[in-house]
Amino acid sequence: MELAAIEELIESNIEDADATVSRPRTVDENHEDDHYAAVVVSPAFEGKSLVKQHQLVYDALGDHMTTDIHAMELKTYTPEEYAALEE
């Protein structure tokens, strides 16, 4: 699955989300490697536990989590939390 397609799914299904998706390890062309990492920033995460935030992302990806994506490493932040990281 293309990185941009994963970003689009997340951003279109979570309010005001900004998603950056990457491959956390080198792709081995001889084997399937559907491992991804995503940093997702959204005000929709405000007041939600980390588990609930991750559930929102998994829900946004829908059936792709069982067909196209083998593993997804997630980091989720509210805009305020993400801004504090940059300070």
Side-chain angles (χ1 to χ4, degrees):
M1 188 166 190
E2 295 295 322
L3 302 180
I6 298 171
E7 291 171 350
E8 174 61 29
L9 278 170
I10 294 168
E11 291 174 352
S12 65
N13 287 293
I14 299 176
E15 177 188 350
D16 295 325
D18 181 26
T20 304
V21 179
S22 62
R23 291 187 179 269
R25 59 187 190 191
T26 305
V27 177
D28 181 349
E29 296 298 331
N30 297 318
H31 298 89
E32 285 188 49
D33 190 9
D34 298 327
H35 292 247
Y36 301 92
V39 175
V40 185
V41 181
S42 173
F45 298 145
E46 187 69 42
K48 291 184 174 50
S49 70
L50 189 60
V51 170
K52 293 284 187 192
Q53 292 175 22
H54 287 199
Q55 285 176 333
L56 284 174
V57 177
Y58 292 137
D59 289 347
L61 295 170
D63 290 340
H64 293 284
M65 283 302 301
T66 58
T67 58
D68 302 312
I69 299 170
H70 176 73
M72 176 67 76
E73 176 186 323
L74 290 175
K75 293 185 180 178
T76 54
Y77 304 98
T78 64
E80 293 79 17
E81 290 168 337
Y82 193 72
L85 292 176
E86 296 178 344
E87 291 179 355

